[in-house]
Amino acid sequence: MNETAFDEPLFSSLKPGLTSFCYRMLGSMDDADDAVQETSIRVWQSWSTFRQDSSFKTWVYRIASNLCLDKLRQSKRRALPVDLFDPAVAIVEPRDTLPDSAWIWPSPDFGGNPEDRLVRRDTLQLCFIALLQTLPPRQRAVLILKDVFEWSSKQIAETLAMSPAAVNSALQRARETMDRAQLRSDELSSMDVQPEQQLLSRYVEAFEQFDIAALVALFHEEGCMSMPPFEMWIRGKEALSAFYSLTRWHCEGSRFVPITVNGGYPALAQYMPGKEGSGLVPWGIHVIETKENQILHVQNFIHTPLFSRFGLPERIDR
């Protein structure tokens, strides 16, 4: 083989699955896209060395896996605020933040590849991504390839340069760690498969009218709200009411645009009044998790670059 024979369409057919693998490994679509781009460069550069002693797919995933493992050696674990801090005692405007690299961020769909649609959607839930980040990187890769992508131990061994016995051992340890992990985000994950549309509509109406009583009434008694990159998060109806009252000046006049995140889960993109003109500008992505048709957790990801990633406009009319 030679470099000029590089099969671009064949690599492109793997990109949705590769992206979803790298996102689960790294917890960030920016990092996942970087890893897939670097994988494509390395595949092209190494095309002449591919000897077909393994499948093209296994060879590509080996390159991507090594890139992810290298990235993870140089970074700290990404997380969600509820897994790092206790709920706020004093209700004040949030101040303290952690850098973008500290947080797990939601993702758009990875593409229309049929294989990608078969990958279990529940393994894209934000709480599952947070659980994955508790695993050592190699165990994480083994568990994703086995329990999410349903690869054989032999194929995983070829991909990660391990023996099948080492793969099975790593898988057992990873499953035990996942079972033992007691992350608050897992407890707050969507007990309902997804929010009822009527509940979402009521949330939108109450928020856009900024009717605090109606808004808080939608929450479970233990309902909470978190706001990455802010460390602070709120739990309980009384605290939520106090927080909404405190931040009314900031959120009043907002509008929502419906979107989906992490494999088709419904979410809302919040636009708030801008400083100039009459338009509304990006603020946060609300991911709403529910229990018994009440809101258990609103994750408001305040990270405006997410809007362009989701193909959302830079400004909307009031």
Short mmCIF file of all heavy atoms in Angstrom, two decimals, residues 36-65:
data_model
loop_
_atom_site.label_atom_id
_atom_site.label_comp_id
_atom_site.label_asym_id
_atom_site.label_seq_id
_atom_site.Cartn_x
_atom_site.Cartn_y
_atom_site.Cartn_z
N VAL A 36 -10.11 12.56 17.03
CA VAL A 36 -10.49 11.95 15.75
C VAL A 36 -9.71 12.60 14.61
O VAL A 36 -9.26 11.91 13.67
CB VAL A 36 -12.01 12.08 15.53
CG1 VAL A 36 -12.39 11.64 14.11
CG2 VAL A 36 -12.76 11.23 16.55
N GLN A 37 -9.53 13.91 14.67
CA GLN A 37 -8.74 14.59 13.64
C GLN A 37 -7.30 14.10 13.63
O GLN A 37 -6.73 13.82 12.57
CB GLN A 37 -8.78 16.10 13.88
CG GLN A 37 -7.97 16.93 12.88
CD GLN A 37 -8.46 16.81 11.45
OE1 GLN A 37 -9.63 16.52 11.22
NE2 GLN A 37 -7.58 17.01 10.49
N GLU A 38 -6.72 13.97 14.82
CA GLU A 38 -5.34 13.47 14.92
C GLU A 38 -5.26 12.02 14.46
O GLU A 38 -4.28 11.61 13.83
CB GLU A 38 -4.84 13.61 16.36
CG GLU A 38 -3.40 13.16 16.58
CD GLU A 38 -2.39 13.98 15.79
OE1 GLU A 38 -2.66 15.16 15.48
OE2 GLU A 38 -1.30 13.42 15.48
N THR A 39 -6.30 11.25 14.73
CA THR A 39 -6.34 9.86 14.26
C THR A 39 -6.31 9.81 12.74
O THR A 39 -5.58 9.03 12.14
CB THR A 39 -7.60 9.14 14.78
OG1 THR A 39 -7.55 9.09 16.21
CG2 THR A 39 -7.70 7.72 14.24
N SER A 40 -7.11 10.68 12.10
CA SER A 40 -7.15 10.69 10.63
C SER A 40 -5.79 11.04 10.04
O SER A 40 -5.36 10.46 9.04
CB SER A 40 -8.22 11.65 10.12
OG SER A 40 -7.85 13.00 10.35
N ILE A 41 -5.09 11.98 10.69
CA ILE A 41 -3.75 12.36 10.22
C ILE A 41 -2.79 11.19 10.35
O ILE A 41 -2.03 10.87 9.43
CB ILE A 41 -3.24 13.59 11.00
CG1 ILE A 41 -4.08 14.82 10.67
CG2 ILE A 41 -1.77 13.84 10.70
CD1 ILE A 41 -3.82 16.01 11.57
N ARG A 42 -2.84 10.52 11.49
CA ARG A 42 -1.92 9.40 11.72
C ARG A 42 -2.24 8.21 10.82
O ARG A 42 -1.34 7.50 10.36
CB ARG A 42 -1.95 8.98 13.19
CG ARG A 42 -1.38 10.04 14.11
CD ARG A 42 -1.09 9.50 15.50
NE ARG A 42 -0.62 10.56 16.39
CZ ARG A 42 -0.22 10.37 17.63
NH1 ARG A 42 -0.24 9.14 18.15
NH2 ARG A 42 0.18 11.37 18.38
N VAL A 43 -3.53 7.99 10.56
CA VAL A 43 -3.92 6.91 9.64
C VAL A 43 -3.38 7.21 8.25
O VAL A 43 -2.82 6.34 7.57
CB VAL A 43 -5.45 6.75 9.62
CG1 VAL A 43 -5.89 5.88 8.44
CG2 VAL A 43 -5.94 6.14 10.93
N TRP A 44 -3.53 8.44 7.81
CA TRP A 44 -3.02 8.82 6.49
C TRP A 44 -1.49 8.68 6.42
O TRP A 44 -0.95 8.12 5.46
CB TRP A 44 -3.44 10.25 6.18
CG TRP A 44 -2.96 10.73 4.83
CD1 TRP A 44 -3.51 10.47 3.62
CD2 TRP A 44 -1.79 11.52 4.58
NE1 TRP A 44 -2.79 11.06 2.61
CE2 TRP A 44 -1.71 11.70 3.18
CE3 TRP A 44 -0.81 12.08 5.39
CZ2 TRP A 44 -0.69 12.44 2.59
CZ3 TRP A 44 0.21 12.82 4.80
CH2 TRP A 44 0.26 13.00 3.41
N GLN A 45 -0.81 9.17 7.47
CA GLN A 45 0.65 9.11 7.49
C GLN A 45 1.16 7.67 7.54
O GLN A 45 2.24 7.37 7.02
CB GLN A 45 1.18 9.89 8.68
CG GLN A 45 1.01 11.40 8.57
CD GLN A 45 1.44 12.14 9.82
OE1 GLN A 45 1.45 11.58 10.91
NE2 GLN A 45 1.77 13.42 9.68
N SER A 46 0.40 6.78 8.18
CA SER A 46 0.86 5.40 8.39
C SER A 46 0.23 4.42 7.43
O SER A 46 0.41 3.20 7.58
CB SER A 46 0.53 4.97 9.83
OG SER A 46 1.04 5.87 10.78
N TRP A 47 -0.51 4.93 6.45
CA TRP A 47 -1.26 4.06 5.55
C TRP A 47 -0.37 3.01 4.89
O TRP A 47 -0.75 1.84 4.76
CB TRP A 47 -1.96 4.92 4.50
CG TRP A 47 -2.81 4.16 3.52
CD1 TRP A 47 -2.57 3.98 2.20
CD2 TRP A 47 -4.04 3.50 3.80
NE1 TRP A 47 -3.57 3.25 1.62
CE2 TRP A 47 -4.49 2.93 2.60
CE3 TRP A 47 -4.79 3.31 4.96
CZ2 TRP A 47 -5.68 2.19 2.50
CZ3 TRP A 47 -5.97 2.58 4.87
CH2 TRP A 47 -6.39 2.03 3.66
N SER A 48 0.83 3.39 4.53
CA SER A 48 1.72 2.45 3.83
C SER A 48 2.21 1.33 4.74
O SER A 48 2.71 0.31 4.27
CB SER A 48 2.92 3.19 3.24
OG SER A 48 3.66 3.82 4.28
N THR A 49 2.07 1.50 6.05
CA THR A 49 2.54 0.47 7.00
C THR A 49 1.43 -0.48 7.41
O THR A 49 1.68 -1.44 8.14
CB THR A 49 3.12 1.12 8.27
OG1 THR A 49 2.06 1.75 9.01
CG2 THR A 49 4.18 2.16 7.91
N PHE A 50 0.19 -0.23 6.97
CA PHE A 50 -0.92 -1.10 7.33
C PHE A 50 -0.81 -2.39 6.54
O PHE A 50 -0.93 -2.42 5.33
CB PHE A 50 -2.25 -0.39 7.05
CG PHE A 50 -3.47 -1.24 7.28
CD1 PHE A 50 -3.61 -1.95 8.47
CD2 PHE A 50 -4.46 -1.34 6.32
CE1 PHE A 50 -4.73 -2.75 8.69
CE2 PHE A 50 -5.58 -2.12 6.53
CZ PHE A 50 -5.71 -2.82 7.72
N ARG A 51 -0.59 -3.51 7.27
CA ARG A 51 -0.31 -4.79 6.62
C ARG A 51 -1.49 -5.74 6.60
O ARG A 51 -1.35 -6.90 6.22
CB ARG A 51 0.87 -5.48 7.34
CG ARG A 51 2.15 -4.66 7.36
CD ARG A 51 2.64 -4.35 5.97
NE ARG A 51 3.89 -3.56 6.00
CZ ARG A 51 4.39 -2.97 4.91
NH1 ARG A 51 3.75 -3.04 3.76
NH2 ARG A 51 5.52 -2.27 5.00
N GLN A 52 -2.64 -5.28 7.08
CA GLN A 52 -3.85 -6.09 7.07
C GLN A 52 -3.73 -7.35 7.92
O GLN A 52 -4.43 -8.33 7.68
CB GLN A 52 -4.26 -6.45 5.64
CG GLN A 52 -4.63 -5.22 4.81
CD GLN A 52 -5.14 -5.60 3.43
OE1 GLN A 52 -4.48 -6.34 2.70
NE2 GLN A 52 -6.30 -5.09 3.06
N ASP A 53 -2.82 -7.34 8.94
CA ASP A 53 -2.79 -8.46 9.87
C ASP A 53 -3.93 -8.32 10.89
O ASP A 53 -4.19 -9.24 11.66
CB ASP A 53 -1.43 -8.56 10.58
CG ASP A 53 -1.00 -7.24 11.20
OD1 ASP A 53 -1.66 -6.22 10.93
OD2 ASP A 53 -0.01 -7.23 11.94
N SER A 54 -4.58 -7.16 10.90
CA SER A 54 -5.82 -6.98 11.64
C SER A 54 -6.77 -6.20 10.73
O SER A 54 -6.37 -5.72 9.67
CB SER A 54 -5.57 -6.20 12.94
OG SER A 54 -5.06 -4.91 12.66
N SER A 55 -8.02 -6.06 11.12
CA SER A 55 -8.96 -5.33 10.27
C SER A 55 -8.62 -3.85 10.27
O SER A 55 -7.98 -3.33 11.20
CB SER A 55 -10.40 -5.54 10.76
OG SER A 55 -10.61 -4.82 11.97
N PHE A 56 -9.05 -3.16 9.22
CA PHE A 56 -8.83 -1.71 9.15
C PHE A 56 -9.46 -1.02 10.35
O PHE A 56 -8.87 -0.12 10.95
CB PHE A 56 -9.43 -1.18 7.84
CG PHE A 56 -9.32 0.31 7.67
CD1 PHE A 56 -8.10 0.92 7.42
CD2 PHE A 56 -10.45 1.12 7.79
CE1 PHE A 56 -7.99 2.30 7.27
CE2 PHE A 56 -10.35 2.49 7.64
CZ PHE A 56 -9.12 3.08 7.38
N LYS A 57 -10.65 -1.47 10.72
CA LYS A 57 -11.35 -0.86 11.85
C LYS A 57 -10.56 -1.02 13.14
O LYS A 57 -10.39 -0.05 13.91
CB LYS A 57 -12.73 -1.50 12.00
CG LYS A 57 -13.57 -0.94 13.13
CD LYS A 57 -14.95 -1.58 13.13
CE LYS A 57 -15.82 -1.06 14.24
NZ LYS A 57 -17.18 -1.68 14.22
N THR A 58 -10.05 -2.22 13.40
CA THR A 58 -9.25 -2.45 14.60
C THR A 58 -8.00 -1.58 14.60
O THR A 58 -7.63 -1.00 15.63
CB THR A 58 -8.86 -3.94 14.70
OG1 THR A 58 -10.05 -4.73 14.79
CG2 THR A 58 -7.99 -4.21 15.93
N TRP A 59 -7.38 -1.47 13.46
CA TRP A 59 -6.15 -0.66 13.33
C TRP A 59 -6.44 0.81 13.63
O TRP A 59 -5.70 1.46 14.38
CB TRP A 59 -5.59 -0.83 11.91
CG TRP A 59 -4.32 -0.09 11.64
CD1 TRP A 59 -3.12 -0.24 12.26
CD2 TRP A 59 -4.13 0.92 10.64
NE1 TRP A 59 -2.18 0.62 11.70
CE2 TRP A 59 -2.78 1.34 10.71
CE3 TRP A 59 -4.97 1.51 9.69
CZ2 TRP A 59 -2.26 2.32 9.87
CZ3 TRP A 59 -4.45 2.47 8.84
CH2 TRP A 59 -3.10 2.87 8.94
N VAL A 60 -7.54 1.32 13.09
CA VAL A 60 -7.90 2.72 13.32
C VAL A 60 -8.22 2.95 14.80
O VAL A 60 -7.78 3.94 15.40
CB VAL A 60 -9.08 3.13 12.42
CG1 VAL A 60 -9.62 4.50 12.83
CG2 VAL A 60 -8.65 3.16 10.95
N TYR A 61 -8.98 2.05 15.39
CA TYR A 61 -9.33 2.21 16.81
C TYR A 61 -8.10 2.08 17.70
O TYR A 61 -8.04 2.68 18.78
CB TYR A 61 -10.41 1.20 17.22
CG TYR A 61 -11.81 1.73 17.04
CD1 TYR A 61 -12.43 1.70 15.78
CD2 TYR A 61 -12.54 2.26 18.10
CE1 TYR A 61 -13.73 2.19 15.60
CE2 TYR A 61 -13.83 2.75 17.94
CZ TYR A 61 -14.41 2.72 16.69
OH TYR A 61 -15.68 3.21 16.51
N ARG A 62 -7.11 1.29 17.27
CA ARG A 62 -5.86 1.21 18.04
C ARG A 62 -5.18 2.57 18.08
O ARG A 62 -4.72 3.02 19.14
CB ARG A 62 -4.92 0.18 17.40
CG ARG A 62 -3.59 -0.03 18.15
CD ARG A 62 -2.69 -0.98 17.38
NE ARG A 62 -3.40 -2.23 17.11
CZ ARG A 62 -3.13 -3.02 16.07
NH1 ARG A 62 -2.21 -2.68 15.18
NH2 ARG A 62 -3.79 -4.15 15.91
N ILE A 63 -5.15 3.26 16.94
CA ILE A 63 -4.54 4.60 16.89
C ILE A 63 -5.33 5.57 17.76
O ILE A 63 -4.77 6.33 18.55
CB ILE A 63 -4.47 5.08 15.42
CG1 ILE A 63 -3.49 4.21 14.62
CG2 ILE A 63 -4.04 6.55 15.36
CD1 ILE A 63 -3.52 4.46 13.12
N ALA A 64 -6.66 5.55 17.62
CA ALA A 64 -7.50 6.45 18.41
C ALA A 64 -7.39 6.17 19.90
O ALA A 64 -7.32 7.09 20.72
CB ALA A 64 -8.95 6.33 17.95
N SER A 65 -7.36 4.89 20.27
CA SER A 65 -7.24 4.52 21.69
C SER A 65 -5.94 5.04 22.28
O SER A 65 -5.92 5.59 23.39
CB SER A 65 -7.32 3.00 21.85
OG SER A 65 -8.56 2.51 21.41
#
